[in-house]
């Protein structure tokens, strides 16, 4: 069963393994007509012919702290995979307390929103099983949403404490509680994924364990500002879609019996020219689609806007209405304050015309049974 993802920014590519010889410290200057131009430590400029892998991304470089991995996609674009997960009209928008990861919790708020409100005149009441979804898990509740975000089986197999490593199982869906059953499972949250590093397809991917520390999820983005759809990742080797949080959202939606009309990650325009704009965000909101807002280390649900730069968000740290500035920074009181980097946008499909939990004409049936 396929699963997870994350994202990153690159202004300098250092320690790039170019052609299998020694490792050089280089600064990427630009790319043109199939060639990449780099500046060496002593100021010289060298060029390198770009060679593409027709099937899957090719590993380029891993940052020193291992939070960011750079790849070249089959179409030549540069990709980054960045680890996300900080330690640590709104009446119809859920607000969910942090549960074993900010990314699956925020995705859970998105699922809860569609569970409660539907989309395009259709109902999506199986996105939170045994629903309807709660509006607030910061107060005592039945915790239906929490089970959809991070199940007890997921916690037992993968989660100990924020930032820790070591799983109770190897991460294979055939050995860990019989397969994925919640967002955190599908999104790869907290999972070491030891089994991925020994597969043939992943041997040259640059992956090393642990892939995600407890509470972390990984999101991928193109570094030219274009959107990266989940369907593109679907064509790559399993080491890529297994480690994509965004891809895991698609898997969860399908697991719950619905379809994905659109799902993608994209850097915002202010970070990479040509990226996702505030006007694009307003279009999503105007059409009834909340989005995930990704900071450099944290994910939240963005559900509204005001003026030309204010974003309304649901955070996983505190209940209530919160705002931030588009392309600004956000963080807990006293910091750390994290930069707004990208968005994850989702459009569901395949809902039902009648809510799944409604049985029509039950009163006449009772009359017949009672014989009155």
């Amino acid at each position: 069963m396929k699963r997870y993802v994350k994202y990153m920014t690159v202004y300098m590519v250092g320690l790039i393994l170019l052609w299998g010889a020694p490792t050089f410290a280089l600064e990427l200057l630009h790319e043109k007509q199939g060639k990449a131009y780099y500046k060496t430590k002593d100021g010289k400029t060298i060029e390198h012919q770009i060679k593409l892998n027709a099937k899957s991304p090719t590993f380029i470089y891993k940052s020193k702290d291992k939070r960011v991995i750079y790849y070249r996609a089959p179409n030549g674009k540069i990709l980054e995979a960045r680890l996300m997960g900080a330690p640590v009209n709104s009446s119809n928008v859920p607000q969910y307390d942090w549960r074993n990861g900010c990314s699956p919790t925020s995705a859970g708020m998105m699922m809860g929103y569609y569970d409660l409100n539907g989309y395009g005149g259709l109902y999506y009441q199986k996105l939170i099983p045994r629903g309807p979804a709660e509006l607030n898990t910061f107060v005592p509740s039945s915790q239906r949403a929490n089970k959809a975000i991070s199940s007890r089986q997921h916690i037992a197999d993968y989660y100990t404490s924020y930032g820790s490593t070591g799983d109770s199982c190897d991460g294979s869906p055939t050995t860990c509680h019989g397969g994925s059953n919640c967002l955190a499972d599908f999104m790869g949250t907290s999972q070491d994924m030891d089994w991925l590093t020994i597969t043939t397809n992943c041997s040259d991917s640059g992956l090393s364990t642990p892939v995600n520390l407890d509470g972390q999820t990984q999101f991928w983005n193109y570094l030219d500002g274009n959107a990266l759809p989940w369907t593109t990742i679907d064509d790559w080797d399993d080491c890529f879609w297994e480690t994509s949080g965004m891809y895991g959202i698609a898997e969860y939606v399908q697991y719950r019996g619905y379809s994905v009309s659109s799902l993608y990650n994209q850097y915002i325009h202010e970070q990479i020219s040509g990226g996702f704009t505030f006007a694009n965000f307003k279009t999503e909101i105007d059409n009834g689609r909340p989005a995930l807002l990704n900071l450099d280390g944290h994910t939240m649900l963005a559900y509204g806007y005001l003026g030309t730069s204010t974003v309304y968000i649901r955070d996983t740290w505190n209940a209530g209405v919160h705002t931030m500035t588009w392309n600004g920074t956000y963080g807990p009181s006293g910091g750390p304050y994290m930069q707004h980097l990208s968005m994850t946008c989702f459009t569901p499909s395949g809902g039902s015309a009648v809510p799944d939990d409604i049985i029509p004409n039950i009163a006449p049936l009772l009359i017949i049974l009672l014989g009155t």
Side-chain angles (χ1 to χ4, degrees), residues 73-88:
N75 60 8
K77 297 177 183 293
I78 295 179
L79 284 161
E80 66 169 11
R82 179 181 295 272
L83 286 171
M84 305 300 291
V88 286

Side-chain angles (χ1 to χ4, degrees), residues 269-335:
H269 173 75
E270 290 78 5
Q271 292 294 310
I272 298 180
S273 179
F276 194 87
T277 66
F278 188 72
N280 295 145
F281 172 63
K282 290 169 64 176
T283 297
E284 292 297 301
I285 299 306
D286 292 345
N287 284 279
R289 298 190 295 264
L292 299 186
L293 187 151
N294 303 304
L295 306 171
D296 184 13
H298 188 47
T299 303
M300 304 179 290
L301 183 73
Y303 65 90
Y305 63 87
L306 178 67
T308 59
S309 62
T310 298
V311 181
Y312 285 89
I313 53 177
R314 290 292 199 202
D315 197 1
T316 61
W317 300 326
N318 299 287
V321 176
H322 303 280
T323 62
M324 67 168 289
T325 301
W326 183 265
N327 188 40
T329 59
Y330 182 90
S333 178

